[in-house]
Amino acid sequence: SSSITATVQIITTEDLVNVIPIIGQETVYFEVNHPSDNREPIILNMSVHSITEIYKDKNQIRFKLNLITTEQIINYEKRISKYYEGSSTDIAQEVFNELGSSKTLLKKSSSDKQEMIVPNMTPFRALNWLSEKAYQGSAADYMFFETIAGYNFVPLSSLVNSEPQIEYFSRISNVDTSPNFEDKTIIDWSIVSSFDVIDNMMRGMYKSKALTVDILNRKSETLEYNIYDKYFETKKLASQPLFDISGQGRKFNSDPLYLLPENSEITYNHDKNFLNRKSQLQLFNNLKMNLTVFGDTNVHVGSVIDLNIPFQTVTGRYYTPF
């Protein structure tokens, strides 16, 4: 997400909502700490954007403060209408600077070259728009998101080759006196999805086409994407393929068609990133898991973790790292 959100439940004997009063212009400072020699606390300043679930029970009043990082509020107060040249990551930095935030923008340089006008967009909308245009080599899956360490403008596939920050194990708990053992034990896990052929066909993961139309110059061009030709150069989460790559099995031949504007005076890079991006993001979207673990302030959005989960086989039990 472009912004971190939080919900804080308050239980009090005073009607703070009306007495203070709370009107949505407050800043909440909080620190979450997990004592350890190598853990850093989470420290955030966030803005109140709403109050919900106000409830009175005898002498107690309960309510929830819904918080968001302050940059999101500032974002809606700014508009950008400006011409830019350079790569999407270079332009992203210039757009991000318009927020006047003290936070950093962590980015990985993209290969594209743009000549564009940001047409009256908020900074966050422009950054997400730029992420759709950026590519680095074969990677066209750039994302703009916030973590407790700052903002990021990076391709998701770049995380695949990153060193894991932490390793978790599905195992019996309370069999070791080491706190580090318990911290790394998975309490509960479930696989939400591993693949969806119909969804993949509809979203153009296997094959897709795009018709680019240049109205000014009366030209059109058909672009095609085929993951069967790109599979081995595409970075993936799964160690096993999600479809047959031997050439002997069935190939899914649905090819949804997209209509794209084109203009020789503006750099769109449709041939480099549009269809590639749809396929690569859907490739990531197939694999989803939910797991419950003990809190660790070092783990946040974008963190790379290793999961060791036992699976039963005909030859016995073994651990499969995800």
Side-chain angles (χ1 to χ4, degrees), residues 42-315:
I42 297 173
I43 300 175
L44 291 171
N45 283 299
M46 306 186 77
S47 297
V48 176
H49 71 84
S50 67
I51 301 175
T52 56
E53 299 184 29
I54 302 175
Y55 176 72
K56 184 175 182 180
D57 181 16
K58 297 180 181 179
N59 293 328
Q60 289 187 342
I61 295 177
R62 305 182 183 191
F63 59 91
K64 288 184 177 180
L65 291 180
N66 300 306
L67 314 175
I68 199 164
T69 40
T70 305
E71 284 80 6
Q72 182 68 273
I73 304 295
I74 299 172
N75 167 67
Y76 286 118
E77 298 175 337
K78 292 183 177 290
R79 290 279 177 173
I80 298 175
S81 295
K82 190 175 179 180
Y83 174 78
Y84 293 97
E85 290 184 9
S87 67
S88 290
T89 44
D90 292 338
I91 299 172
Q93 184 65 67
E94 293 187 54
V95 170
F96 181 79
N97 292 342
E98 297 284 343
L99 286 169
S101 173
S102 60
K103 298 176 182 177
T104 58
L105 177 65
L106 175 66
K107 55 191 184 296
K108 288 189 179 293
S109 297
S110 58
S111 309
D112 61 301
K113 298 297 179 184
Q114 302 288 345
E115 297 175 7
M116 62 164 59
I117 295 174
V118 175
N120 195 37
M121 291 181 174
T122 62
F124 281 178
R125 184 181 177 192
L127 286 162
N128 282 293
W129 184 51
L130 284 164
S131 71
E132 297 175 4
K133 299 179 176 298
Y135 65 89
Q136 182 190 63
S138 62
D141 50 358
Y142 271 77
M143 301 291 285
F144 171 66
F145 59 94
E146 185 185 13
T147 73
I148 57 174
Y151 288 89
N152 297 260
F153 191 90
V154 297
L156 284 180
S157 52
S158 67
L159 300 177
V160 175
N161 291 337
S162 301
E163 287 295 322
Q165 282 88 31
I166 193 169
E167 186 173 16
Y168 289 108
F169 298 85
S170 179
R171 58 194 176 190
I172 300 174
S173 61
N174 300 318
V175 297
D176 194 298
T177 58
S178 168
N180 192 54
F181 180 90
E182 290 300 321
D183 281 358
K184 305 303 184 295
T185 299
I186 299 173
I187 300 171
D188 183 56
W189 66 271
S190 64
I191 296 177
V192 178
S193 66
S194 55
F195 67 89
D196 188 326
V197 171
I198 301 299
D199 203 39
N200 292 341
M201 293 174 73
M202 294 176 62
R203 295 179 183 273
M205 192 189 89
Y206 305 117
K207 294 180 66 177
S208 57
K209 290 182 180 179
L211 181 65
T212 64
V213 180
D214 185 344
I215 297 177
L216 295 178
N217 297 292
R218 298 183 179 182
K219 293 181 180 180
S220 66
E221 182 183 359
T222 300
L223 306 177
E224 296 186 5
Y225 179 86
N226 187 331
I227 197 173
Y228 299 99
D229 299 331
K230 303 278 188 178
Y231 183 77
F232 291 102
E233 64 186 69
T234 302
K235 295 177 181 178
K236 303 165 283 292
L237 283 174
S239 57
Q240 299 295 328
L242 298 178
F243 49 87
D244 181 80
I245 60 173
S246 68
Q248 304 300 313
R250 175 177 179 173
K251 290 184 178 180
F252 299 106
N253 289 312
S254 66
D255 51 354
L257 178 65
Y258 303 94
L259 184 64
L260 305 174
E262 190 62 83
N263 188 329
S264 58
E265 304 299 321
I266 301 176
T267 306
Y268 282 96
N269 294 319
H270 288 323
D271 58 326
K272 298 289 186 180
N273 70 335
F274 184 83
L275 297 178
N276 300 35
R277 177 179 175 82
K278 285 189 172 296
S279 177
Q280 290 172 18
L281 290 181
Q282 183 61 19
L283 192 61
F284 274 92
N285 197 47
N286 276 263
L287 303 171
K288 297 177 185 176
M289 288 188 68
N290 287 333
L291 65 151
T292 304
V293 296
F294 289 99
D296 190 330
T297 56
N298 285 346
V299 179
H300 53 80
V301 173
S303 294
V304 179
I305 63 176
D306 267 350
L307 304 180
N308 282 277
I309 298 176
F311 282 91
Q312 195 71 30
T313 69
V314 292
T315 58

